[in-house]
């Protein structure tokens, strides 16, 4: 990489209109937030300058952060527009590179990523090939984000400040993972694939339907309906004729089917007429924020497909044990413990996945790339209105305005004549009521573990206040020793196929990362960045609730004690995962990418503002 001592990275073409330049800069800024928050959290490499204690590089003014690079004794500098105790900072362009002899240059994120990847001290387990691949993915992610921002630029006001339906919110997540170096990487999607199938472009498509000789289909169901009956409910709603006698109708994602029909394992079956195409459905299906899960307002089920596509940390092919976990949730819900949990928290719902299907080859071996799971879909009719995935509520605004959650709170304050601080406390308390408390009690009193990160949590609203919480994606479920004790008498085969009994210490690390670090701290940072309340005030409100729950004599208080008393908690290392090229879902040791971070809940009570 060449950086001139005179100071500037290559400028945009002069002929590019202002709108194009603004989109490019927005994608750079949003991507820099994601990239550097992940790097700083995992390495602790930053030196923070709250005030100007020494001369700063040209283009940088305090507050700022300096990232030293051992190679050549150089540095990267960023302006800091918001400093977060929870670790989700906001940065301002430019990114400035300073050499050992004091020369400065403004660099774009791809150049900064190259400098970071060239540092052997950052994640020494990464080899040369994975580092080169990493820099390509960073650059592609920025380009992908710019492409989406350009396509949705006229929707910005609607996405951040107006009422949204379930599908509008799912397709309104423009930025991706807030703490990840490649939040919008998607290989091997082309731009045309993305425009048709990626949710952030706001489009829809038709499913491809297959007729498959029954001997080449594997599946299971834990519902009262067989998997065939579940499939027929979707097929009939999609306006597709039944499969011929002896065949099973199987829905396929059109992008994935284009790849599968070239697969040597299926070629002979297709040639022999054992697999035929029934045609395209009539309904409109929309990719949700996860891309591989799709939604139709006419269907009682959402569908989650295997996709041979690398998004962020993983190739998104489903595994049989993941499908088994989805089936088991329905059984767990129907146990005495499951029914008691539901009765205690009627405004919190776990969306089960009651059936799955996949193809097999001529030898009977499962083809996981064809797997499709059926997920309960409550978001039909009136319930499809005013429902929003948490990640869309907290994402950074492309123009730097407050996030969607903050704008909802400001609207609430205006309607009810509250101060912004009072409205924020009320809104956040409702979030604790319908999301955080139910999930913590599921762990502490029932031994049920739900990986509730921001894309797996959906809030429903009434008058701008969260009134219902939903958890989806049962692949991220597990059971602790307490769960095993409570559930095994009713489910003797608990976790036999799902492989998701988790030891207490590991369970607490995983559970807390998803629900608290990813989701709740992410929300706190987003609200505080909008200057509604300080992070310290929101953390105290969270800590007060945790303390109250702990005092309730829990069956397993270990997780609450971990949150309230441990000096450090664990978080997933998305930067490490991306730089080393790990496929998280198939890693032999997925815990190897977790790292410690200071626990921001060990805090003193702030002076509480009035309002």
């Amino acid at each position: 990489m060449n950086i001139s001592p005179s100071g500037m990275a290559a400028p945009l073409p002069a002929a590019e209109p202002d709108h194009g330049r603004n989109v490019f800069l927005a994608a750079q800024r949003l991507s820099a937030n994601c990239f550097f928050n992940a790097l700083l959290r995992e390495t602790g490499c930053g030196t923070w300058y709250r005030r100007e204690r020494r001369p700063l590089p040209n283009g940088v003014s305090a507050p700022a952060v300096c990232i030293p690079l051992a190679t050549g004794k150089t540095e990267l500098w960023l302006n800091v527009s918001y400093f977060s105790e929870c670790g989700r900072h906001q940065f301002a362009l430019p990114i400035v590179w300073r050499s050992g002899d004091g020369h400065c240059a403004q660099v774009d994120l791809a150049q900064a990523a190259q400098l970071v990847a060239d540092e052997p001290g950052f994640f020494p387990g990464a080899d040369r090939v994975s580092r080169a691949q990493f820099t390509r993915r960073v650059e592609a992610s920025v380009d992908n984000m710019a492409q989406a921002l350009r396509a949705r630029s006229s929707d910005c006001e609607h996405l951040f400040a107006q009422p949204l339906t379930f599908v509008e919110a799912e397709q309104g997540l423009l930025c991706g993972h807030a703490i990840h170096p490649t939040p919008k990487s998607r290989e091997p999607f082309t731009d045309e694939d993305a425009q048709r199938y990626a949710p952030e472009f706001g489009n829809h498509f038709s499913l491809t339907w297959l007729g498959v000789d029954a001997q080449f289909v594997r599946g299971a169901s834990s519902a009262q309906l067989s998997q065939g009956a579940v499939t027929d409910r979707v097929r009939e709603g999609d306006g597709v004729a039944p499969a011929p006698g002896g065949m099973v109708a199987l829905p396929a994602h059109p992008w994935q089917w284009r790849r599968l029909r070239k697969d040597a394992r299926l070629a002979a079956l297709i040639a022999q007429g054992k697999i035929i195409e029934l045609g395209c459905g009539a309904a409109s299906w929309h990719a949700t924020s996860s891309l591989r899960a799709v939604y139709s307002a006419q269907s009682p089920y959402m569908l989650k497909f295997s996709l041979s596509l690398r998004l962020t940390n993983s190739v998104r092919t489903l595994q049989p044990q993941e499908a088994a976990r989805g089936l088991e949730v329905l059984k767990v819900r129907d146990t005495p413990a499951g029914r008691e949990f539901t009765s205690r928290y009627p405004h919190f719902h776990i969306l089960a996945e009651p059936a799955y299907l996949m193809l097999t080859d001529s030898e009977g071996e499962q083809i996981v790339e064809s797997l499709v799971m059926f997920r309960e879909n409550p978001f039909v009719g009136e319930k499809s209105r005013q429902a929003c995935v948490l990640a869309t509520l907290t994402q950074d605004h492309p123009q730097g305005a407050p996030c969607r959650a903050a704008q909802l709170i400001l609207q609430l304050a205006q309607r009810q004549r509250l101060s912004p601080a009072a409205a924020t406390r009320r809104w956040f308390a409702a979030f604790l009521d319908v999301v955080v408390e139910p999930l913590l009690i599921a762990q502490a009193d029932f031994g049920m573990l739900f990986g509730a990160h921001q894309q797996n949590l959906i809030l429903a609203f009434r008058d701008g206040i969260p009134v219902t919480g939903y958890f989806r994606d049962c692949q991220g479920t597990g059971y602790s020793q307490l769960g095993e004790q409570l559930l095994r008498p009713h489910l003797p085969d608990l976790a036999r196929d799902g492989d998701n009994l988790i030891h207490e210490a590991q369970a607490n690390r995983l559970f807390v990362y998803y629900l608290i670090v990813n989701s709740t701290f992410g929300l706190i940072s987003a609200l505080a960045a909008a200057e509604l309340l300080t992070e310290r005030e929101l953390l105290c409100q969270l800590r007060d609730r945790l303390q109250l729950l702990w005092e309730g004599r829990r069956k397993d208080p270990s997780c609450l004690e971990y949150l309230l008393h441990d000096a450090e908690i664990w978080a997933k290392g998305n930067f490490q995962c991306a730089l080393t090229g790990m496929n998280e879902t198939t890693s032999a040791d997925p815990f190897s990418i977790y790292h410690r971070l200071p626990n921001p809940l060990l805090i003193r009570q702030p002076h509480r503002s009035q309002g």
Side-chain angles (χ1 to χ4, degrees), residues 64-308:
V65 63
C66 172
I67 299 170
L69 304 171
T71 304
K73 297 182 180 179
T74 60
E75 301 166 331
L76 286 174
W77 286 81
L78 292 98
N79 294 294
V80 179
S81 57
Y82 174 73
F83 177 84
S84 168
E85 294 188 52
C86 294
R88 187 180 166 189
H89 315 289
Q90 301 281 333
F91 302 106
L93 299 178
I95 305 166
V96 174
W97 169 84
R98 182 159 71 176
S99 68
D101 59 6
H103 288 124
C104 295
Q106 292 184 16
V107 296
D108 64 19
L109 185 57
Q111 292 171 312
Q114 180 70 65
L115 289 165
V116 170
D118 286 344
E119 280 295 307
F122 289 144
F123 310 107
D127 60 27
R128 183 178 300 176
V129 172
S130 66
R131 289 174 186 271
Q133 191 175 52
F134 169 80
T135 58
R136 289 194 297 271
R137 285 175 176 156
V138 171
E139 186 169 14
S141 177
V142 176
D143 290 344
N144 292 342
M145 191 181 296
Q147 186 184 12
L149 293 177
R150 189 175 298 110
R152 301 298 296 277
S153 59
S154 63
D155 293 344
C156 211
E157 172 66 20
H158 178 67
L159 293 177
F160 282 85
Q162 301 300 322
L164 296 179
T165 64
F166 169 78
V167 72
E168 287 175 329
E170 291 293 321
Q171 298 198 320
L173 181 59
L174 307 179
C175 304
H177 198 306
I179 301 182
H180 197 290
T182 63
K184 281 297 177 184
S185 59
R186 45 177 186 245
E187 298 171 339
F189 255 18
T190 65
D191 288 350
E192 292 74 21
D193 292 332
Q195 289 166 13
R196 185 175 184 190
Y197 300 116
E200 59 267 30
F201 290 90
N203 290 326
H204 57 84
F205 54 89
S206 300
L207 296 181
T208 298
W209 283 87
L210 309 175
V212 185
D213 189 307
Q215 64 178 313
F216 300 109
V217 178
R218 294 289 181 273
S221 172
S222 62
Q224 294 178 343
L225 298 172
S226 68
Q227 65 265 31
V230 170
T231 306
D232 281 342
R233 292 185 67 186
V234 179
R235 177 189 56 74
E236 290 165 2
D238 215 6
V240 175
M247 286 190 155
V248 175
L250 182 73
H253 191 290
W255 183 86
Q256 185 72 352
W257 177 241
R258 288 205 310 267
R259 298 176 68 86
L260 282 173
R261 67 189 179 193
K262 301 174 185 176
D263 191 311
R265 294 171 295 176
L266 297 175
L269 299 180
I270 295 171
Q272 295 165 16
K274 303 296 184 182
I275 301 175
I276 63 173
E277 293 190 22
L278 299 177
C280 294
S284 295
W285 290 83
H286 304 256
T288 63
S289 59
S290 71
L291 197 151
R292 59 177 168 166
V294 301
Y295 163 89
S296 170
Q298 286 74 50
S299 175
Y301 300 101
M302 288 179 265
L303 304 179
K304 184 174 181 179
F305 293 98
S306 278
L307 290 182
S308 301

Side-chain angles (χ1 to χ4, degrees), residues 186-516:
R186 45 177 186 245
E187 298 171 339
F189 255 18
T190 65
D191 288 350
E192 292 74 21
D193 292 332
Q195 289 166 13
R196 185 175 184 190
Y197 300 116
E200 59 267 30
F201 290 90
N203 290 326
H204 57 84
F205 54 89
S206 300
L207 296 181
T208 298
W209 283 87
L210 309 175
V212 185
D213 189 307
Q215 64 178 313
F216 300 109
V217 178
R218 294 289 181 273
S221 172
S222 62
Q224 294 178 343
L225 298 172
S226 68
Q227 65 265 31
V230 170
T231 306
D232 281 342
R233 292 185 67 186
V234 179
R235 177 189 56 74
E236 290 165 2
D238 215 6
V240 175
M247 286 190 155
V248 175
L250 182 73
H253 191 290
W255 183 86
Q256 185 72 352
W257 177 241
R258 288 205 310 267
R259 298 176 68 86
L260 282 173
R261 67 189 179 193
K262 301 174 185 176
D263 191 311
R265 294 171 295 176
L266 297 175
L269 299 180
I270 295 171
Q272 295 165 16
K274 303 296 184 182
I275 301 175
I276 63 173
E277 293 190 22
L278 299 177
C280 294
S284 295
W285 290 83
H286 304 256
T288 63
S289 59
S290 71
L291 197 151
R292 59 177 168 166
V294 301
Y295 163 89
S296 170
Q298 286 74 50
S299 175
Y301 300 101
M302 288 179 265
L303 304 179
K304 184 174 181 179
F305 293 98
S306 278
L307 290 182
S308 301
L309 181 72
R310 184 183 177 99
L311 302 174
T312 58
N313 294 350
S314 305
V315 178
R316 302 295 169 159
T317 47
L318 294 162
Q319 302 299 315
Q321 65 267 29
E322 295 179 297
R325 293 170 195 168
L327 301 184
E328 194 158 59
V329 164
L330 198 61
K331 298 176 183 177
V332 167
R333 270 192 342 200
D334 200 37
T335 63
R339 290 194 294 269
E340 182 184 347
F341 173 74
T342 299
S343 68
R344 284 171 66 175
Y345 293 101
H347 300 299
F348 182 79
H349 304 285
I350 299 159
L351 304 184
E353 292 158 353
Y356 73 90
L357 290 168
M358 68 179 129
L359 300 171
T360 69
D361 63 17
S362 57
E363 303 298 321
E365 293 295 321
Q366 297 174 344
I367 299 176
V368 296
E369 294 86 352
S370 67
L371 201 154
V372 55
M373 295 191 303
F374 298 75
R375 175 184 293 160
E376 293 173 331
N377 177 21
F379 305 108
V380 295
E382 190 62 33
K383 287 189 176 181
S384 70
R385 300 179 177 86
Q386 295 293 309
C388 187
V389 62
L390 181 60
T392 295
L393 286 163
T394 65
Q395 72 176 330
D396 295 336
H397 193 292
Q399 278 80 55
C403 68
R404 178 173 174 79
Q407 298 205 40
L408 290 178
I409 290 169
L410 291 170
Q411 293 167 10
L412 173 69
Q414 186 175 27
R415 283 196 307 272
Q416 300 194 355
R417 298 183 180 179
L418 298 170
S419 70
T424 303
R425 281 192 285 270
R426 180 178 175 188
W427 196 98
F428 189 61
F431 174 77
L432 298 179
D433 288 342
V434 301
V435 170
V436 175
E437 181 174 324
L439 285 162
L440 284 168
I441 293 301
Q443 179 277 329
D445 281 357
F446 300 95
M448 304 173 192
L449 307 165
F450 300 102
H453 62 67
Q454 291 194 42
Q455 280 185 264
N456 285 349
L457 288 173
I458 299 161
L459 302 179
F461 298 89
R462 184 183 305 122
D463 299 325
I465 291 284
V467 293
T468 306
Y470 297 89
F471 169 81
R472 65 173 171 206
D473 205 350
C474 296
Q475 288 65 67
T477 60
Y479 308 96
S480 66
Q481 291 165 304
L482 171 63
E484 185 177 15
Q485 293 168 11
L486 294 175
L487 297 170
R488 197 174 287 284
H490 309 281
L491 300 173
D493 294 330
L494 181 75
R496 182 191 65 187
D497 297 323
D499 190 28
N500 56 340
L501 288 177
I502 310 175
H503 185 271
E504 178 184 285
Q506 291 179 329
N508 289 343
R509 291 176 186 177
L510 290 171
F511 176 71
V512 164
Y513 165 68
Y514 286 117
L515 175 61
I516 302 300

